[in-house]
Amino acid sequence: MDVFVIGQAVHPPAARIGDKRLEELVFDTAHAALADAGVKRAQIDHVTIAGCDELDGRSISSMLLAAPAGAQLRDEMKCTDSGLTGLCLEAMRLEAGIFDLGLLVSWSKPSTAPLEDVMRMRCEPFYTRPIGLNMAITDGLFAQAAGAKYGFDEFDADEAVLDGYRRGAANLRGVGHKVPGVEAISVSPYVAAPLRQAHQAPITDGAVAMVVASERWLKSNPRARPLARVSGMGWRNEAYDLGVDRLSGLTSFRNSLDDALKMAGLKTAADLDLIELDSQTGFHELAFRAALNGNAPAAISHSGGAFAQNPYFCTGLINAAEAILQLSDQAGPIQLPGIKRAAAHSSHGFALQGNVAVVLERV
């Protein structure tokens, strides 16, 4: 693929960003990404936005957010699955040869519209919604099924969470969560056994934006310096039902990553130097590692992932931003040496129903 990220910005996260309207949050992040790329909005020929109306707490939120995202009088397209899906859409728009320089903007402010309130409304209305199914319960079902298949339990999840918080604490772009003791994790209340409250990554507010260019644009603008090349991408969705095979198989995760690796000309995830996973709980982290089946890269979620910051809808795109920082030697105190290939992962829906993977390379 001839698609390159030439600039990006991640808004400083917080449990609740209360000093800005959502429009201001989006504007500031988009403006910072353009500045990082060294381009003006007038040079952009299209905008891709990735957001969720329900999590924004308003219908057709793009009516108010397209302009702050830079889309005034520009070709605009919206993605509603996840922020990382938005990167795939942006890459395809450039690969089509119609556009040359795009701005991708994604945001999530769950402090305005609580995540579980939104997720309950995504249940099938005649059976699962009346019984109270929500994201925490489906994650608990996932934890049971995956733990039984791969041989891990809640004590292993305690350690996975602790490790996630430790990595996140070293990342200056994170919220700066206090690292809990393993005992505090192990005695926190159950939300859906075996899932405990402290096994869940805290939800935060945040936003991320990227300026993405075609190879044709780079050739005509030789002073521009790309941060990374998008070399592969893949996405898969699974069935809506929550049977044991669906819960424990991680089929969508495996296939989306395999598709992205194949497009990038790689055989397995072991050919990567780093992968940033969207692990919403300690059980997710353990299941992803098991599903990689010994073919994991040396570094997994080095940024801390969702335990550093977790603006749910765009956590996967922030994973991509963290991977790009590693590839461009701009990751600061958590910079790893010799990172040449990295992948970012995102999941959405109940119990990993949808998964997205993007492979990025050093330029």
Side-chain angles (χ1 to χ4, degrees):
M1 296 180 67
D2 298 320
V3 175
F4 301 84
V5 178
I6 66 168
Q8 64 177 18
V10 176
H11 192 281
R16 179 179 180 271
I17 299 175
D19 60 345
K20 292 182 181 181
R21 289 174 53 87
L22 183 56
E23 293 88 344
E24 295 173 305
L25 174 71
V26 171
F27 175 86
D28 289 349
T29 309
H31 184 269
L34 291 170
D36 186 58
V39 300
K40 302 294 186 182
R41 193 184 77 89
Q43 296 173 260
I44 298 293
D45 55 24
H46 70 288
V47 174
T48 302
I49 59 179
C52 171
D53 287 358
E54 298 97 323
L55 289 175
D56 290 347
R58 56 180 69 157
S59 299
I60 319 178
S61 64
S62 55
M63 290 193 300
L64 288 176
L65 294 170
Q72 180 75 14
L73 300 179
R74 292 291 183 273
D75 189 287
E76 171 216 334
M77 190 172 289
K78 182 177 182 179
C79 170
T80 61
D81 282 350
S82 70
L84 195 60
T85 311
L87 179 56
C88 295
L89 176 59
E90 171 61 29
M92 288 189 290
R93 300 184 78 185
L94 291 170
E95 282 285 279
I98 302 172
F99 301 108
D100 286 305
L101 186 65
L103 177 60
L104 165 65
V105 189
S106 184
W107 60 85
S108 190
K109 206 167 185 286
S111 65
T112 301
L115 181 59
E116 283 290 22
D117 291 348
V118 171
M119 295 303 287
R120 276 195 296 272
M121 297 305 295
R122 295 188 175 183
C123 293
E124 177 274 320
F126 300 107
Y127 179 65
T128 56
R129 192 183 299 173
I131 66 172
L133 194 69
N134 60 17
M135 189 169 75
I137 293 172
T138 58
D139 282 346
L141 294 171
F142 167 76
Q144 289 184 17
K149 180 172 182 176
Y150 298 111
F152 55 77
D153 57 25
E154 62 180 278
F155 301 107
D156 298 311
D158 296 345
E159 295 294 338
V161 168
L162 181 61
D163 188 42
Y165 274 117
R166 285 172 175 164
R167 284 181 272 117
N171 185 352
L172 300 181
R173 291 171 295 279
V175 173
H177 295 299
K178 181 180 178 181
V179 179
V182 69
E183 183 177 344
I185 299 170
S186 65
V187 299
S188 64
Y190 282 114
V191 290
L195 181 67
R196 292 181 180 273
Q197 191 175 70
H199 290 147
Q200 299 172 296
I203 301 295
T204 63
D205 289 350
V208 54
M210 295 180 180
V211 180
V212 191
S214 67
E215 186 175 40
R216 180 172 59 191
W217 188 89
L218 286 175
K219 286 181 178 179
S220 62
N221 294 269
R223 292 185 178 181
R225 292 291 180 265
L227 303 176
R229 172 176 171 258
V230 179
S231 59
M233 56 189 187
W235 60 92
R236 295 290 185 101
N237 291 317
E238 293 197 48
Y240 185 79
D241 71 275
L242 296 172
V244 65
D245 292 335
R246 149 81 166 81
L247 288 167
S248 64
L250 281 82
T251 305
S252 172
F253 167 73
R254 299 173 195 267
N255 289 343
S256 63
L257 182 57
D258 287 347
D259 289 346
L261 292 169
K262 183 178 180 180
M263 183 179 289
L266 306 177
K267 293 183 178 180
T268 71
D271 296 324
L272 300 167
D273 300 305
L274 163 72
I275 186 169
E276 290 285 345
L277 297 169
D278 187 356
S279 300
Q280 289 294 317
T281 75
F283 290 99
H284 285 70
E285 177 88 3
L286 295 168
F288 290 144
R289 288 174 179 264
L292 291 172
N293 195 28
N295 291 315
I300 299 178
S301 296
H302 184 67
S303 70
F307 289 92
Q309 61 167 303
N310 190 24
Y312 179 75
F313 184 87
C314 56
T315 298
L317 189 58
I318 289 175
N319 284 344
E322 287 288 345
I324 290 167
L325 289 172
Q326 291 286 345
L327 291 165
S328 57
D329 296 323
Q330 297 181 37
I334 63 169
Q335 179 66 49
L336 293 168
I339 301 295
K340 296 180 179 179
R341 298 185 185 91
H345 163 255
S346 174
S347 64
H348 54 274
F350 287 134
L352 306 179
Q353 183 181 10
N355 285 268
V356 186
V358 173
V359 176
L360 302 139
E361 294 184 356
R362 180 182 288 269
V363 179

